[in-house]
Amino acid sequence: MPYEQSPSPVAPLASSRLWTEVATGGLAVGIMLALAVVHPEIAIWLVGGAAVVALSAWLAIRRPAASSAIVADGRGDGVWDARRMALLDSVFEAMTDPVMVVSGGEADDIAGRRIILANGAARDLLKIAREGALLVSAVRDPGVLEAVDEALFGEVARTTSYAAGGSRDRHWRAWVEPLMSEPGSDVASGPHDRLAVLRLHDETDVRRMELMRVDFLANASHELRTPLASLSGFIETLKGHARDDPKARDRFLDIMGVQADRMGRLVADLLSLSRIELNEHIPPSGRVDLALAASDVVDALSVLSQEKGVAIVLEAEPGATSIEADRDEIVQVVQNLTDNAIKYSAPGQIVEITIRRGLTLDAAPGPRTEGATRMSLLTPDREAGVLYAAVTVRDHGPGMAREHLPRLTERFYRVEGQKSGGERAGTGLGLAIVKHIVNRHRGGFVVESAVGEGAGFTAYFPMAGGTAATPAVRETGGQMLQPAP
């Protein structure tokens, strides 16, 4: 549609300005000619001046005519249309939400739904070109495809939810609106070329906040019930017959202290897990040396290992093991795995920590242990040219039967079936925290166990700047592998 400029209520019209210029020029010419008659001695100069004024007035009249001719032949509107289209394209590309314009084609031809225009955010999210991508290949959610069809052929606006696939769940809100294209335009060249605009808005943070609040209340109320009941029972006992029994009172107070410490650790782990889940979809931006982080963990747990009579042996391959990571979270991964290994090791046994580097995705889990059952608890998307650094923590304790392995990263799951207390005190959240941290770092998590021989946990992370020639295909994990012969 040509742009029509509304006249200003205070600016003079073009015709008014033209009349003013002509009148002023004519008056000046008349005065000069009159003076030439009165003063013949300077008549030649006055007549020349009148001619100059008349020529200037004539040129002033010609300029608006030329401008009108430009507008009349369409060149003025063409310049404005080009500027307007450039501005609209810049705004379209600057939008942070993925936005796509979809063409319909035939109603019964699903392959006819094509993305005829996609902004930069949509191209980065869906890995598509600016024009010509198939909608069914880019967005495979049935709800979104149905909403697009209703907008294209029913001219009905729809809003629906869209969950992106992959190892890191992302939730989107999709808005679909029908577009009315102008007859004769380049976009709508046929009777079946219907258009709709599809916009996606990231609601991952909102969903995670809701789930975090619900899970925190449910888990906290369930797990805190046992230590609170224990504290209440001991308090009643101390108020009763144990009030005057110093030995019983000291023993009960010690047990109450242990239960209070357990509640403190439980609340701290729940808050840590909730914080990690909230930021799980945001990749880390720092760099960490995995070997140095593991060395710091060994130093921090040296007192605990000495009290338990367990030795920790750290072996690292030569060379830098730099990964793109958050240092505090990487330290927490190694510490949780090592702490579990110490708990399940008998006095005199060894906990082995091994650091490997420059690994492909297939080699990252490490060599198979004979007679052990291995399971991938988390497998990253396979990306071309990515190398990994891995940390493996292995103990020689009782091990776990294969039926327990799929549930190891569930919150509060215990192999012994105990929810609190016991010789191996803990919150049951350590491996859940490890899994979420590894997932945020686009890594993988593998467990290997043999009953009576111990267990090993391997977490691997993409190396900073590591590349290798590997095909770009997608991999799914979570498959149980049979024991090696």
Side-chain angles (χ1 to χ4, degrees):
M1 179 183 295
Y3 176 73
E4 296 180 357
Q5 185 174 10
S6 301
S8 171
V10 297
L13 298 176
S15 58
S16 176
R17 293 195 299 268
L18 180 61
W19 184 89
T20 302
E21 292 175 358
V22 173
T24 303
L27 181 61
V29 170
I31 292 175
M32 289 183 179
L33 293 178
L35 290 175
V37 175
V38 176
H39 302 282
E41 65 276 8
I42 58 173
I44 188 172
W45 300 104
L46 292 174
V47 172
V52 172
V53 173
L55 180 61
S56 300
W58 180 78
L59 292 176
I61 295 173
R62 291 289 300 171
R63 278 199 304 269
S67 299
S68 301
I70 293 176
V71 174
D73 66 11
R75 284 181 291 168
D77 284 347
V79 173
W80 166 248
D81 286 343
R83 293 178 178 176
R84 181 177 61 177
M85 293 304 298
L87 177 61
L88 291 177
D89 186 71
S90 298
V91 173
F92 183 69
E93 289 293 330
M95 296 181 68
T96 56
D97 283 346
V99 181
M100 293 156 281
V101 179
V102 183
S103 173
E106 298 288 346
D108 56 352
D109 183 14
I110 299 179
R113 317 289 188 268
R114 288 191 175 272
I115 301 173
I116 63 173
L117 195 60
N119 69 346
R123 298 195 297 271
D124 292 341
L125 174 67
L126 303 176
K127 310 301 181 186
I128 59 176
R130 179 181 171 90
E131 301 176 6
L134 286 175
L135 178 65
V136 69
S137 299
V139 181
R140 302 183 180 182
D141 184 80
V144 177
L145 298 177
E146 181 181 354
V148 171
D149 278 358
E150 291 187 10
L152 288 172
F153 304 104
E155 298 183 356
V156 177
R158 279 282 305 275
T159 301
T160 185
S161 297
Y162 167 52
S167 58
R168 290 169 295 281
D169 292 335
R170 298 186 70 176
H171 298 274
W172 302 85
R173 174 70 63 177
W175 283 272
V176 188
E177 291 276 353
L179 289 180
M180 302 300 177
S181 58
E182 296 183 9
S185 65
D186 293 337
V187 178
S189 58
H192 302 290
D193 288 333
R194 304 170 182 267
L195 302 179
V197 60
L198 170 62
R199 179 171 70 94
L200 303 177
H201 180 68
D202 193 353
E203 293 187 342
T204 305
D205 288 340
V206 177
R207 296 290 185 91
R208 289 186 183 276
M209 286 292 293
E210 294 175 356
L211 293 176
M212 181 182 67
R213 181 174 63 253
V214 173
D215 290 346
F216 181 84
L217 292 176
N219 294 327
S221 61
H222 177 73
E223 287 298 317
L224 289 174
R225 186 180 295 114
T226 299
L228 283 176
S230 178
L231 289 176
S232 298
F234 286 126
I235 290 174
E236 292 295 331
T237 303
L238 290 175
K239 288 182 177 179
H241 62 274
R243 176 185 304 174
D244 299 325
D245 188 344
K247 293 184 178 180
R249 183 174 63 246
D250 292 341
R251 183 166 59 87
F252 290 157
L253 288 175
D254 291 339
I255 298 176
M256 292 170 65
V258 172
Q259 295 296 332
D261 291 340
R262 168 169 167 73
M263 284 193 297
R265 293 195 306 270
L266 179 62
V267 172
D269 283 352
L270 283 171
L271 291 175
S272 177
L273 182 58
S274 299
R275 183 179 64 254
I276 294 168
E277 287 181 330
L278 183 62
N279 298 323
E280 191 170 353
H281 65 289
I282 303 176
S285 57
R287 289 198 175 189
V288 180
D289 190 297
L290 185 58
L292 293 179
S295 177
D296 292 341
V297 170
V298 172
D299 293 338
L301 295 179
S302 59
V303 176
L304 177 62
S305 62
Q306 291 175 3
E307 291 178 354
K308 188 70 182 294
V310 176
I312 302 178
V313 177
L314 173 63
E315 296 181 0
E317 294 182 354
T321 54
S322 179
I323 59 177
E324 297 178 355
D326 182 299
R327 186 184 185 281
D328 292 339
E329 292 186 353
I330 295 300
V331 168
Q332 190 170 11
V333 167
V334 182
Q335 182 165 328
N336 285 4
L337 296 178
T338 307
D339 184 67
N340 280 348
I342 293 174
K343 290 177 183 177
Y344 287 91
S345 296
Q349 291 185 336
I350 297 175
V351 172
E352 303 168 358
I353 303 177
T354 305
I355 308 295
R356 295 173 294 124
R357 59 183 296 273
L359 307 169
T360 63
L361 182 60
D362 296 328
R368 295 285 301 273
T369 300
E370 184 178 354
T373 301
R374 171 180 289 185
M375 180 180 182
S376 176
L377 302 175
L378 178 65
T379 302
D381 295 340
R382 186 183 292 270
E383 300 180 17
V386 177
L387 295 179
Y388 294 85
V391 53
T392 300
V393 180
R394 184 177 302 277
D395 64 69
H396 300 276
M400 297 165 287
R402 66 191 305 268
E403 61 266 20
H404 296 295
L405 302 186
R407 303 188 60 188
L408 287 179
T409 55
E410 293 182 10
R411 299 184 183 192
F412 307 112
Y413 180 77
R414 290 176 178 275
V415 174
E416 297 89 352
Q418 299 176 356
K419 285 291 182 181
S420 61
E423 179 184 355
R424 303 181 180 97
T427 61
L429 295 173
L431 293 180
I433 291 174
V434 169
K435 180 180 178 180
H436 285 287
I437 292 177
V438 173
N439 190 37
R440 184 199 173 197
H441 288 73
R442 300 179 293 116
F445 190 34
V446 176
V447 59
E448 190 175 68
S449 178
V451 177
E453 297 181 7
F457 292 86
T458 299
Y460 51 94
F461 309 91
M463 295 187 65
T467 58
T470 55
V473 295
R474 192 176 187 83
E475 175 172 320
T476 58
Q479 296 183 347
M480 179 75 71
L481 301 179
Q482 298 298 326

